Amino acid sequence: MVPRQPPKSRSELICVALRSAILERALQPGMKLPEDSLGERFGTSRTIVRQALERLAAEGLVELRHNRGAAVAMPSLEEAQDLFELRAQIEDLVIMRLAAGLTAEQEAALEAHIAREEEAQSGPEPISIRLATEFHILMADLTGSPVLARYVNEVAYRCGLTLSQFARPHSTVCGIQEHRDILAALKSGDVVRAQDIARTHLEAVSARAQFKGAEINGYSYLDALEPYASGVRNSG
Amino acid sequence: MVPRQPPKSRSELICVALRSAILERALQPGMKLPEDSLGERFGTSRTIVRQALERLAAEGLVELRHNRGAAVAMPSLEEAQDLFELRAQIEDLVIMRLAAGLTAEQEAALEAHIAREEEAQSGPEPISIRLATEFHILMADLTGSPVLARYVNEVAYRCGLTLSQFARPHSTVCGIQEHRDILAALKSGDVVRAQDIARTHLEAVSARAQFKGAEINGYSYLDALEPYASGVRNSG
DNA sequence: TGGGATTTGTTCGTATGTATT
DNA sequence: GAATACATACGAACAAATCCC
């Protein structure tokens, strides 16, 4: 039973790895991303890395300065606020669709994810942070709309990046209970209430964040990247 | 007085050209986009064309099938509806910001655009179609928020693509009067009314569209592309 | 079915541009 | 301020997959 190898290209895998690394704050805003060291680390040539970086730049996670290399994007505070506002607006649509009739499978998927969040609570903090964002991405996926999935995915990742830049080190971004509340509201079928709860949740997340001024330093990103890279190398 | 050469890369210029071509329906959904012929047409190598195609694929305007080349995307009817719904939701934010206090420059810019739409009314239809979409993109630009500008831009272009696939040949997508109404509502400062008008406008556009089944044929895209290509070649 | 032609995926070398001493 | 070191931008060529007859 082959695990249904999805025909993902090598550069897509690198994208996924870098996105996770950014969301888990292993790669912090401002860190440089030279093509050849990444290529060496991921076991591929610069061309592939370049593709990945260009894609991430299109998504707003990476800044690509002409002839000056790539770096993890450093969104401004204004951008951060715009992103959260936009995200709430888009997720309204997601909530609306799910609340209109939550199937058993959808409910099970959301519960399974919350369970994983609970497990991760005792583990390393970056994992919890990533799972918290991915709960929202899962909701978007469950709508079955590629359009919603795509944009929630992108905006949520960018929000995660802004948190990495502006949030205090140990602010509790998680909010597992709030995810449980959202699920309950979805089950109730009350669209407006579900939207309210989700919106309040997002506002709480962004409010918990904006306290620390941006600080960029500490550069040993290559070691920080190792766990993400190995997954790509072993996939040939 | 040098016309301030914008530091746009060659591939970005090709992106812009292809986007315009798609929005003006010179490139229709399903048309193949071979790297070689595009490179020859734009006077550059395949590498650059490839970058542009990858970017357009990330934006959802182009479908990139592994080892099978690129083609203009063929969104499903469901996707089309999702895109218009999402677009209305995002543009709510745009309207909210502009209606909160429209400056003289913003007003002038919108009026100038409407004037151009009026001029184009007697000219070729594809230009009118493009200008109609770009009115919305201009509104997003005028908010000064790169985030809003970016996503309205992308979703609006994708909506234009869906219209190209599903709208009847000579459906009047334009609605210049509706744009005037939006501007008037923005000037009045009544956010809710402005949002209502904009939303109604978008619903009207998408309603005018969904009548024709998708039909793909007629392939002489190389000639159709010439006017877009020349602008790129002359920019070195 | 098979083979040739066409198109894409990838690598690598060179040129160009930027930062640094 | 000039020269050096470094990183990216671009293009030509090779290899692999697909398409078409």
Side-chain angles (χ1 to χ4, degrees), chain B residues 74-94:
Chain B
M74 301 201 312
S76 67
L77 190 55
E78 269 191 341
E79 260 181 65
Q81 290 164 336
D82 289 354
L83 282 167
F84 269 100
E85 191 178 354
L86 176 62
R87 178 175 170 183
Q89 190 78 355
I90 299 179
E91 289 203 30
D92 263 359
L93 291 177
V94 173

Side-chain angles (χ1 to χ4, degrees), chain B:
Chain B
M1 195 215 279
V2 179
R4 189 179 94 61
Q5 180 152 1
K8 290 210 170 180
S9 70
R10 199 60 63 92
S11 71
E12 265 181 287
L13 291 173
I14 295 183
C15 271
V16 172
L18 290 179
R19 268 191 287 256
S20 289
I22 289 175
L23 203 56
E24 294 183 5
R25 310 193 181 181
L27 293 178
Q28 291 173 16
M31 277 183 175
K32 283 210 70 179
L33 301 169
E35 297 175 355
D36 266 335
S37 18
L38 285 178
E40 196 174 348
R41 178 65 53 161
F42 284 110
T44 181
S45 84
R46 285 198 305 131
T47 308
I48 309 300
V49 173
R50 194 180 205 20
Q51 285 180 14
L53 290 176
E54 273 159 8
R55 174 148 185 187
L56 292 172
E59 293 175 13
L61 291 180
V62 157
E63 202 167 345
L64 217 51
R65 292 158 303 177
H66 191 69
N67 273 326
R68 304 222 250 113
V72 179
M74 301 201 312
S76 67
L77 190 55
E78 269 191 341
E79 260 181 65
Q81 290 164 336
D82 289 354
L83 282 167
F84 269 100
E85 191 178 354
L86 176 62
R87 178 175 170 183
Q89 190 78 355
I90 299 179
E91 289 203 30
D92 263 359
L93 291 177
V94 173
I95 300 289
M96 188 189 309
R97 300 211 181 181
L98 291 182
L102 198 69
T103 70
E105 298 98 67
Q106 289 171 329
E107 188 182 325
L110 291 172
E111 266 168 4
H113 189 94
I114 291 176
R116 272 202 289 160
E117 289 191 68
E118 284 164 349
E119 278 180 42
Q121 213 167 7
S122 54
E125 197 186 27
I127 307 293
S128 301
I129 293 175
R130 175 168 61 79
L131 287 174
T133 291
E134 287 177 350
F135 177 79
H136 293 257
I137 293 171
L138 175 60
M139 282 199 297
D141 281 340
L142 291 177
T143 64
S145 162
V147 170
L148 286 179
R150 150 97 209 274
Y151 289 101
V152 168
N153 196 337
E154 187 168 318
V155 175
Y157 268 101
R158 291 183 74 174
C159 283
L161 173 64
T162 69
L163 290 179
S164 163
Q165 173 150 7
F166 294 111
R168 294 204 305 281
H170 291 288
S171 63
T172 65
V173 189
C174 337
I176 298 183
Q177 182 55 45
E178 295 171 30
H179 288 177
R180 276 199 214 91
D181 293 342
I182 291 176
L183 176 54
L186 288 179
K187 285 200 277 189
S188 80
D190 183 341
V191 174
V192 174
R193 183 170 142 256
Q195 284 179 336
D196 272 353
I197 293 181
R199 211 168 254 274
T200 304
H201 168 54
L202 280 181
E203 275 161 16
V205 170
S206 82
R208 282 197 282 260
Q210 294 156 11
F211 281 95
K212 193 194 70 169
E215 270 176 42
I216 317 298
N217 38 25
Y219 260 40
S220 75
Y221 79 100
L222 279 178
D223 294 329
L225 205 52
E226 176 51 29
Y228 306 94
S230 64
V232 173
R233 284 197 305 270
N234 297 339
S235 73

Side-chain angles (χ1 to χ4, degrees), chain A residues 10 44-48 51 66-68:
Chain A
R10 198 61 62 93
T44 181
S45 83
R46 296 200 322 267
T47 309
I48 308 300
Q51 286 180 13
H66 192 68
N67 273 328
R68 302 228 259 131

Side-chain angles (χ1 to χ4, degrees), chain A residues 124-200:
Chain A
E125 197 186 27
I127 306 294
S128 300
I129 293 175
R130 175 168 60 79
L131 286 174
T133 292
E134 287 177 349
F135 177 78
H136 293 258
I137 293 171
L138 174 60
M139 282 200 297
D141 280 341
L142 291 177
T143 65
S145 162
V147 170
L148 287 179
R150 151 98 208 272
Y151 288 102
V152 168
N153 195 338
E154 187 169 317
V155 176
Y157 269 100
R158 291 183 73 175
C159 284
L161 173 64
T162 68
L163 290 180
S164 164
Q165 173 149 5
F166 294 111
R168 291 205 305 281
H170 292 288
S171 62
T172 64
V173 189
C174 338
I176 298 184
Q177 183 55 44
E178 294 171 31
H179 288 177
R180 276 198 214 93
D181 292 343
I182 291 176
L183 176 54
L186 288 180
K187 284 201 278 189
S188 80
D190 184 340
V191 174
V192 174
R193 182 170 142 257
Q195 284 179 336
D196 272 353
I197 293 181
R199 209 169 256 273
T200 305

Side-chain angles (χ1 to χ4, degrees), chain A residues 50-66:
Chain A
R50 194 184 202 29
Q51 286 180 13
L53 290 176
E54 273 159 6
R55 177 148 183 186
L56 292 172
E59 293 175 12
L61 291 180
V62 158
E63 200 168 345
L64 218 49
R65 292 160 303 177
H66 192 68

Side-chain angles (χ1 to χ4, degrees), chain A:
Chain A
M1 196 216 281
V2 179
R4 190 179 94 60
Q5 180 152 3
K8 290 209 170 178
S9 70
R10 198 61 62 93
S11 72
E12 264 180 288
L13 291 174
I14 295 183
C15 271
V16 172
L18 291 179
R19 269 191 288 255
S20 288
I22 289 175
L23 200 57
E24 294 183 4
R25 310 192 181 180
L27 293 179
Q28 291 174 16
M31 278 184 175
K32 281 210 70 180
L33 301 169
E35 293 178 355
D36 37 14
S37 24
L38 285 178
E40 197 173 347
R41 178 64 51 161
F42 284 109
T44 181
S45 83
R46 296 200 322 267
T47 309
I48 308 300
V49 173
R50 194 184 202 29
Q51 286 180 13
L53 290 176
E54 273 159 6
R55 177 148 183 186
L56 292 172
E59 293 175 12
L61 291 180
V62 158
E63 200 168 345
L64 218 49
R65 292 160 303 177
H66 192 68
N67 273 328
R68 302 228 259 131
V72 179
M74 301 201 316
S76 68
L77 190 56
E78 269 191 341
E79 255 181 68
Q81 290 164 336
D82 288 354
L83 282 167
F84 269 100
E85 190 177 356
L86 176 62
R87 178 175 170 183
Q89 191 78 354
I90 299 179
E91 290 204 30
D92 263 359
L93 291 177
V94 173
I95 301 290
M96 189 188 308
R97 299 209 182 184
L98 291 182
L102 198 68
T103 70
E105 299 97 69
Q106 290 171 328
E107 188 183 323
L110 290 172
E111 266 167 3
H113 189 95
I114 291 177
R116 273 202 287 160
E117 289 190 68
E118 284 164 350
E119 279 180 42
Q121 213 169 5
S122 53
E125 197 186 27
I127 306 294
S128 300
I129 293 175
R130 175 168 60 79
L131 286 174
T133 292
E134 287 177 349
F135 177 78
H136 293 258
I137 293 171
L138 174 60
M139 282 200 297
D141 280 341
L142 291 177
T143 65
S145 162
V147 170
L148 287 179
R150 151 98 208 272
Y151 288 102
V152 168
N153 195 338
E154 187 169 317
V155 176
Y157 269 100
R158 291 183 73 175
C159 284
L161 173 64
T162 68
L163 290 180
S164 164
Q165 173 149 5
F166 294 111
R168 291 205 305 281
H170 292 288
S171 62
T172 64
V173 189
C174 338
I176 298 184
Q177 183 55 44
E178 294 171 31
H179 288 177
R180 276 198 214 93
D181 292 343
I182 291 176
L183 176 54
L186 288 180
K187 284 201 278 189
S188 80
D190 184 340
V191 174
V192 174
R193 182 170 142 257
Q195 284 179 336
D196 272 353
I197 293 181
R199 209 169 256 273
T200 305
H201 168 53
L202 280 181
E203 276 160 16
V205 170
S206 83
R208 282 196 284 259
Q210 294 157 11
F211 281 93
K212 193 194 69 173
E215 270 176 42
I216 317 298
N217 38 25
Y219 262 37
S220 77
Y221 79 98
L222 279 178
D223 294 331
L225 205 52
E226 176 51 29
Y228 305 94
S230 64
V232 173
R233 284 198 302 272
N234 297 338
S235 74

